[in-house]
Amino acid sequence: MNRPEWCETDFRKAEVFLEEHEADQPDTALFDCGDGLYAVIPRGLPALGVRFYGLFMLAPLPVLLASVVVLVLFGFKDDVTLNATTLGVFAISVVLIIGLVRVMHLILQNRALFPRNYFVTLGKNGIAMHYSRKHFPFHNPRAWLTWHDIKSVEPGNGLFLPAFLIGLPFITYPKVQGENGVEVDLPFRLSRARQAEQMEAVLSLIHNNIEWRKAIRS
């Protein structure tokens, strides 16, 4: 079934809003984009888009990082006399590793090079995922549901493939079940206290939308 036009309309509106305001709330996954539109971004998870220039800038850094790590591991694998020289080389290596990691982090924050164009929208017509198979390989990453089609919503464990990069492939996040087995996932991972707050906010928003539309129909 083709996605309805409102899915793409909500996506474009949310994308513009997030590009301008995402950095204003660094510990938030749920954003009010205005006019009844909300977005849930994969905050705390490695879900970035990539453009050619971004890949070009980032590519040398993992190589340099790996080279420094290998140098440290093989340079100190044999019996080494601890003296000022060896301790100095080790300290410099550690500083280089920390520096390269921080540089990679700063580059990844550049939206022009690594756009944040993966998220879930919750609008007037329904809820829609805007992900790809590299995020959800086993079910439709662009699934959508109208509010009337939603059967249940609750926290659940799910596979979010990029989370392998941080050692947590299975994470807990809101999961929405709909008619005909359609599933919409809203992944994000924050600090424990903040995760609970945002989880409750997302679940309440969905429940309120469902109840409001049931009241209108009745």
Side-chain angles (χ1 to χ4, degrees):
M1 182 183 297
N2 293 330
R3 279 162 55 108
E5 180 62 26
W6 60 262
C7 293
E8 302 309 317
T9 300
D10 287 352
F11 172 79
R12 289 191 292 269
K13 290 180 179 179
E15 185 179 35
V16 171
F17 179 88
L18 290 172
E19 185 168 352
E20 296 177 354
H21 301 286
E22 179 184 332
D24 298 340
Q25 303 179 59
D27 62 344
T28 296
L30 175 63
F31 286 82
D32 183 350
C33 303
D35 196 27
L37 176 64
Y38 293 82
V40 177
I41 67 172
R43 178 75 80 190
L45 297 171
L48 304 175
V50 60
R51 293 177 179 149
F52 174 77
Y53 290 113
L55 186 62
F56 181 79
M57 291 183 64
L58 186 63
L61 294 178
V63 176
L64 290 173
L65 183 59
S67 300
V68 174
V69 172
V70 169
L71 176 65
V72 172
L73 292 178
F74 283 88
F76 292 94
K77 70 174 183 177
D78 298 322
D79 292 334
V80 177
T81 303
L82 290 179
N83 53 40
T85 301
T86 55
L87 289 176
V89 171
F90 181 78
I92 291 173
S93 300
V94 171
V95 171
L96 284 173
I97 292 173
I98 294 173
L100 287 171
V101 170
R102 290 189 175 181
V103 169
M104 289 176 63
H105 177 75
L106 289 174
I107 292 177
L108 290 172
Q109 297 305 308
N110 189 327
R111 288 190 61 97
L113 302 177
F114 299 91
R116 274 67 166 170
N117 50 7
Y118 299 113
F119 47 84
V120 177
T121 52
L122 303 90
K124 296 178 180 179
N125 296 287
I127 180 172
M129 295 176 66
H130 309 280
Y131 284 95
S132 70
R133 286 290 180 189
K134 65 185 178 184
H135 301 112
F136 295 99
F138 301 119
H139 72 85
N140 184 4
R142 295 176 59 79
W144 58 274
L145 289 165
T146 66
W147 295 112
H148 300 305
D149 292 333
I150 294 176
K151 296 173 62 177
S152 66
V153 53
E154 58 187 1
N157 289 322
L159 172 66
F160 187 71
L161 199 57
F164 268 106
L165 297 174
I166 57 175
L168 293 169
F170 291 93
I171 55 177
T172 301
Y173 51 77
K175 300 172 75 71
V176 181
Q177 301 291 336
E179 300 291 342
N180 301 319
V182 176
E183 179 180 301
V184 172
D185 290 4
L186 301 90
F188 56 89
R189 180 177 177 271
L190 305 170
S191 64
R192 180 174 298 181
R194 190 61 176 158
Q195 181 80 4
E197 292 176 6
Q198 289 287 278
M199 185 87 71
E200 181 62 29
V202 172
L203 295 176
S204 295
L205 176 63
I206 296 174
H207 282 302
N208 290 342
N209 271 281
I210 294 172
E211 294 302 320
W212 182 66
R213 281 160 178 80
K214 283 182 179 178
I216 292 178
R217 293 181 69 180
S218 61

